Amino acid sequence: MSLVIRNARVRGHQQIVDISIDTDHIDAVGANLPKSDRREIDAAGGLVLPGFFNLHFHADKCLLGEIMRPNVSGTLPEAIEITNHHKRNYDPEEVAARAIRALKVGIQNGTTFFRLFADVGTIGGLRAARGLILARERLARYCTIQVVAFPQEGIVRDQGAAELLEEAVREGCDIVGGLPWYEYTDSEARQHIDICFAIARRRDLDIHMLVDDTDDANSRSLEYLALKTMREGWHGRVTASHCGAMAAYNDVYAAKVIDMVATAQVTISVNAHINLVCSARIDREPKRRGIARVKELIARGVNVVTSQDDVHDPYYPFGKPDPLECASMIAHVAQLTLPHEIEQVVDMITTSSARAARVRDYGLAPGCRADLVVVGAATLNEAIRLQPLRRHVIRDGREIARAMVTQELLS
Ligand SMILES: [Zn+2]
């Protein structure tokens, strides 16, 4: 379908513009585009952004908080332990149904690209991956979904996981996951990373690992991941999530690792919600926050993104699948409050994420894929501050979600 979005505010344009869409791609952006017989949507002066990304979402575990006991200690190890009970009995249909419930909310909030982490290991086998592959098929008309084969219990310490990861990518997972910091020793963490690269190389896949997600200043998996990325020539094809230990590294070591990350073109995904809740549980005061050094990374030219991670599960009891909420959280946590920093925050859920996922036809220029979100806000600041309704969500030139709610103060 072809359409025109009128009266839009678009980043990089001083004046209000119209956006013309031919079938599934943008064919013109400019003021007062001529009338045509295409269907029209009035953005009413609202901001139009390219579709949002969530590059790190454990959709297989989402909403387990509705049926499982709470995480009493609030720590990652307890979250892993209590989830295992449930994982033994996963049914792919049930996983898909739960994931789709959360994903639909994310789509209504303007997300058109998700990277979903599926636990793969000897406890749950391939059942979570099969569930998320089902969700990918069922939501294909609404969004792009990549499924990550993610070894939640480790690879070396979970003997059999390496073979299951191979099987998961054979069955259709798109990305090789990893959790090297969770191995027992540094040498096994390096072995873990080596195994992930071997699978990625055999299948020509990108990699997305959860790295140094600990308060331990001596956690060394990001350093080795960057080194391995350089040695394997996987530049620009690797994302490292969390990297909270970076906050505890000494400054000299942090500068060296950030330099390696920049050289290897590794993207860093900062998942602020969960790190604020799970990190530093055993600290007295002052408590660390377990957040990667965002400003130092950006200053060194590292691609930084932010993602939702968890939605109402044993790791994190809240979570609205909304990239604007993530943007607000990272703006606070990384102290990104100046006008140019607010632009950087919006980049994290849009253009920087597209770069991480190597999506080429992304953006708001002629030729780009027509995945768009019309936000009920006039400025980026207002979008992050109010996280207002997404008035329209467009996927491949077709309106797929619309906000109908109005709210008013009565006299
Ligand atoms: Zn995660």
Side-chain angles (χ1 to χ4, degrees):
M1 184 189 289
S2 297
L3 58 88
V4 178
I5 301 174
R6 299 275 181 196
N7 307 312
R9 287 182 206 274
V10 172
R11 296 175 78 186
H13 290 259
Q14 294 300 320
Q15 55 187 144
I16 297 275
V17 296
D18 302 330
I19 302 162
S20 168
I21 296 165
D22 179 10
T23 318
D24 58 357
H25 68 277
I26 296 169
D27 65 350
V29 178
N32 303 312
L33 292 182
K35 273 239 158 260
S36 69
D37 55 2
R38 293 179 182 181
R39 193 192 146 210
E40 297 203 351
I41 285 177
D42 183 10
L47 196 58
V48 178
L49 294 164
F52 297 143
F53 282 73
N54 183 357
L55 284 186
H56 181 148
F57 179 24
H58 297 274
D60 57 344
K61 291 181 270 218
C62 73
L63 305 173
L64 281 179
E66 293 177 351
I67 49 179
M68 288 176 57
R69 77 158 173 85
N71 179 350
V72 177
S73 69
T75 60
L76 288 180
E78 183 178 338
I80 291 170
E81 185 50 40
I82 61 177
T83 309
N84 285 348
H85 285 303
H86 195 81
K87 261 169 37 176
R88 287 188 183 91
N89 302 309
Y90 265 166
D91 162 25
E93 282 291 343
E94 187 273 336
V95 171
R98 253 186 308 104
I100 288 170
R101 275 175 63 203
L103 289 165
K104 280 183 174 172
V105 179
I107 293 163
Q108 285 163 3
N109 283 327
T111 318
T112 52
F113 193 112
F114 296 88
R115 196 172 264 183
L116 307 183
F117 282 66
D119 285 9
V120 172
T122 57
I123 295 173
L126 298 174
R127 292 191 288 278
R130 287 172 182 154
L132 296 187
I133 287 170
L134 280 177
R136 183 180 69 190
E137 287 164 14
R138 289 172 189 171
L139 292 178
R141 64 196 293 266
Y142 294 101
C143 58
T144 302
I145 290 177
Q146 292 180 329
V147 179
V148 183
F150 173 56
Q152 174 72 76
E153 287 82 44
I155 298 177
V156 184
R157 69 187 266 181
D158 183 26
Q159 289 289 307
E163 293 73 20
L164 285 164
L165 287 174
E166 285 271 11
E167 188 56 33
V169 296
R170 211 172 299 131
E171 287 201 12
C173 286
D174 308 276
I175 305 281
V176 179
L179 189 67
W181 69 269
Y182 191 61
E183 299 290 356
Y184 287 123
T185 67
D186 282 350
S187 82
E188 295 197 342
R190 289 194 290 274
Q191 224 180 307
H192 180 122
I193 291 171
D194 289 344
I195 291 168
C196 294
F197 269 89
I199 297 169
R201 181 165 282 289
R202 272 198 289 283
R203 300 263 159 192
D204 192 24
L205 297 176
D206 289 1
I207 291 171
H208 191 147
M209 293 195 191
L210 278 57
V211 180
D212 287 356
D213 189 11
T214 165
D215 301 311
D216 180 4
N218 296 312
S219 192
R220 291 288 179 262
S221 50
L222 182 58
E223 175 189 64
Y224 186 71
L225 178 68
L227 180 72
K228 185 78 179 168
T229 302
M230 290 187 261
R231 297 264 161 89
E232 294 284 334
W234 238 241
H235 300 76
R237 303 189 63 177
V238 176
T239 298
S241 277
H242 298 299
C243 307
M246 190 186 286
Y249 295 164
N250 72 62
D251 290 340
V252 176
Y253 180 68
K256 185 197 86 164
V257 173
I258 290 171
D259 211 50
M260 292 173 67
V261 166
T263 304
Q265 297 165 35
V266 170
T267 291
I268 303 293
S269 172
V270 182
N271 304 0
H273 291 78
I274 182 166
N275 281 116
L276 286 180
V277 166
C278 286
S279 300
R281 282 276 175 164
I282 56 173
D283 282 5
R284 302 282 299 270
E285 298 293 349
K287 275 183 178 291
R288 288 167 290 183
R289 298 187 298 171
I291 302 293
R293 299 177 180 226
V294 173
K295 287 196 181 190
E296 291 169 57
L297 288 161
I298 291 174
R300 184 60 185 80
V302 173
N303 193 42
V304 178
V305 304
T306 190
S307 324
Q308 177 64 50
D309 206 347
D310 293 274
V311 171
H312 193 26
D313 66 18
Y315 295 72
Y316 181 72
F318 313 115
K320 175 172 69 168
D322 184 356
L324 286 180
E325 188 190 71
C326 293
S328 171
M329 183 63 82
I330 196 66
H332 286 80
V333 172
Q335 301 178 337
L336 297 167
T337 50
L338 293 172
H340 76 278
E341 292 172 331
I342 292 169
E343 298 269 352
Q344 290 168 349
V345 162
V346 175
D347 289 345
M348 290 183 194
I349 56 169
T350 55
T351 50
S352 301
S353 285
R355 184 174 153 199
R358 300 196 297 144
V359 177
R360 307 222 188 282
D361 54 351
Y362 181 79
L364 254 171
C368 292
R369 185 174 184 166
D371 287 359
L372 307 170
V373 52
V374 181
V375 182
T379 64
L380 297 182
N381 182 305
E382 200 173 271
I384 292 173
R385 184 168 67 84
L386 301 175
Q387 298 155 43
L389 288 172
R390 303 324 115 85
R391 290 183 187 147
H392 306 274
V393 183
I394 314 293
R395 160 78 168 170
D396 283 338
R398 193 171 52 84
E399 186 179 25
I400 55 162
R402 186 183 310 161
M404 308 292 280
V405 178
T406 58
Q407 201 176 21
E408 53 191 300
L409 194 65
L410 302 176
S411 55

